[in-house]
Amino acid sequence: MEKLLTEEWLLVEQLNRVAGHLKATFVGKDDIIDLMCLCLVGRENLFLLGPPGTAKSALVRALAQRLQGKTFEYLLTRFTEPNELFGPFDIRQLREGNLVTNTDGMLPEAHLVFLDELLNANSAILNSLLMVLNERVFRRGRETRALPALLMVGASNHLPEDDALQALFDRFLVRVHCDYVAPDALAEVLEAGWNLERPGAEEAPTIAAEDILRLQAALPLVDLRPVRALYTDLIRKLRLAGVAVSDRRAVKLQRLLAASALLCRRTTVIASDMWVLRYIWDTDEQREVVGSIVDAVVHADDQPAQHPRAAGHDAPDADALLREIGTLTAQWDLPETSPAERTAIKDQLRYLHGRAQWLGNDEQRAFVQEPLDALWQKVLQA
């Protein structure tokens, strides 16, 4: 566990920097970016629903640019054939009687997969996609291979209407709306969009596919037992409300609870990590119902080191963090501060350290981190 704190925590910080860069680039898309990072660590699939022109493709491409690995993107139509996704048969092998797929540059070799207009999928590729999405396995004839895909994202401007596509949609554990930004944020969108036309002054942060694999491998170290009963009760409530949470989906959602804890530098899941269940709706009508049921559990949890998305707000305020660090430092320096009070200060300091990592601006984060580290030194030397 100590090794995890000194190694994987650095990777979490790097991924948070990537997320911060994306949030600074795409105005009003913080929830989608947080969910992309969560699904990346949890190795689960994400579905983006929204009209054209809402930056669905741009968000995924921006993440792909920050991920040092292979990417596969394809726009599906009713006429898309399996060869277009998985690659053609190798002609040289075929002459010798072997059915071997040439997957060079295709979906089976990608670390990040983006399938635009997903629900245009036809029956010819439906079965292959189901196995790829659910089991991360590519099977064709006698050929079977595990896929390196870390994250698969599907996008569409409508929900499935054909029963045959419900199974495909069900393989996307998390669903999120990608809408137009609010009118009062339009000026920010225009400014951010114009800034993209300019060459970057600084090199944007990146993270390697191998580092994401290490974070995924750390998920089993996270303890879910403290919230097992609460999580079970929440699943029951969602089912009673008409949300079809299958046993398979309930089991897989645990990976995202663990990922939420990991991204907050915790190895124990707390109730607020269940914020991700807001995004397991099947229809637009369910969104408000699911949100209210989940929020009743999430908002009742006042433990420190919560994921910022649990409260539904964006990155923390740097000035507020500085003020709180100053207050804690002054209290720690008082000779009359009791051992119990010092223990409480340590707990609050851990919380503030986690919150500081969610600051999207690198300069602000460094400015806040300096007095935070100074107080930590005092605590360690006490």
Side-chain angles (χ1 to χ4, degrees), residues 188-230:
E188 291 182 68
V189 172
L190 296 176
E191 178 67 21
W194 187 247
N195 288 336
L196 290 176
E197 300 293 330
R198 305 171 184 171
E202 298 180 0
E203 187 175 349
T206 61
I207 189 167
E210 292 76 13
D211 292 336
I212 297 297
L213 279 172
R214 288 179 61 183
L215 289 176
Q216 291 179 351
L219 287 182
L221 297 176
V222 178
D223 187 7
L224 280 85
R225 290 174 297 180
V227 299
R228 185 80 68 192
L230 195 59

Side-chain angles (χ1 to χ4, degrees), residues 95 182-184 188-189 245 256 268 271 315 328 351 358 372:
R95 288 171 180 167
D184 57 359
E188 291 182 68
V189 172
V245 186
L256 297 181
T268 301
L328 291 177
Y351 167 67
W358 291 93
L372 194 60

Side-chain angles (χ1 to χ4, degrees), residues 23-29 53-55 179-197:
K23 291 176 182 179
T25 305
F26 294 92
V27 176
K29 307 296 183 184
T54 51
D179 296 319
Y180 297 113
V181 298
D184 57 359
L186 184 56
E188 291 182 68
V189 172
L190 296 176
E191 178 67 21
W194 187 247
N195 288 336
L196 290 176
E197 300 293 330

Side-chain angles (χ1 to χ4, degrees), residues 36-92:
M36 286 198 302
C37 292
L38 187 77
C39 290
L40 190 61
V41 174
R43 205 178 189 186
E44 291 297 341
N45 307 321
L46 174 67
F47 180 82
L48 301 178
L49 174 67
T54 51
K56 299 188 297 296
S57 301
L59 279 165
V60 181
R61 289 170 189 155
L63 176 61
Q65 291 173 355
R66 307 276 69 81
L67 181 65
Q68 297 171 352
K70 296 180 179 180
T71 302
F72 179 81
E73 176 184 344
Y74 207 81
L75 176 66
L76 296 182
T77 71
R78 291 181 300 161
F79 309 105
T80 302
E81 297 180 355
N83 287 356
E84 298 174 59
L85 299 182
F86 306 111
F89 287 114
D90 191 316
I91 299 299
R92 291 170 298 182

Side-chain angles (χ1 to χ4, degrees), residues 281-292:
W281 43 264
D282 294 319
T283 65
D284 278 325
E285 292 75 20
Q286 289 180 351
R287 289 173 62 193
E288 186 175 345
V289 175
V290 171
S292 62

Side-chain angles (χ1 to χ4, degrees), residues 1-12 40-43 210-224 254-263 265-269:
M1 191 66 67
E2 192 64 33
K3 186 178 180 181
L4 175 68
L5 294 175
T6 56
E7 294 182 5
E8 273 73 358
W9 275 190
L10 296 176
L11 301 181
V12 168
L40 190 61
V41 174
R43 205 178 189 186
E210 292 76 13
D211 292 336
I212 297 297
L213 279 172
R214 288 179 61 183
L215 289 176
Q216 291 179 351
L219 287 182
L221 297 176
V222 178
D223 187 7
L224 280 85
Q254 293 179 114
R255 293 182 58 84
L256 297 181
L257 302 188
S260 175
L262 203 63
L263 287 172
R265 292 176 177 76
R266 284 184 278 103
T267 53
T268 301
V269 172

Side-chain angles (χ1 to χ4, degrees), residues 119-137:
L119 300 179
N120 285 336
N122 57 52
S123 58
I125 62 174
L126 189 57
N127 290 336
S128 298
L129 276 179
L130 289 177
M131 181 165 290
V132 164
L133 292 167
N134 194 46
E135 302 176 28
R136 296 292 198 273
V137 170

Side-chain angles (χ1 to χ4, degrees), residues 273-331:
D273 288 318
M274 289 187 278
W275 65 270
V276 70
L277 271 73
R278 295 176 185 141
Y279 301 93
I280 63 170
W281 43 264
D282 294 319
T283 65
D284 278 325
E285 292 75 20
Q286 289 180 351
R287 289 173 62 193
E288 186 175 345
V289 175
V290 171
S292 62
I293 294 173
V294 174
D295 284 347
V297 176
V298 170
H299 292 165
D301 183 22
D302 58 355
Q303 294 189 50
Q306 292 183 354
H307 192 290
R309 193 54 51 196
H313 55 68
D314 299 327
D317 179 74
D319 292 334
L321 287 176
L322 281 172
R323 288 194 296 270
E324 193 160 359
I325 293 168
T327 300
L328 291 177
T329 301
Q331 186 178 357

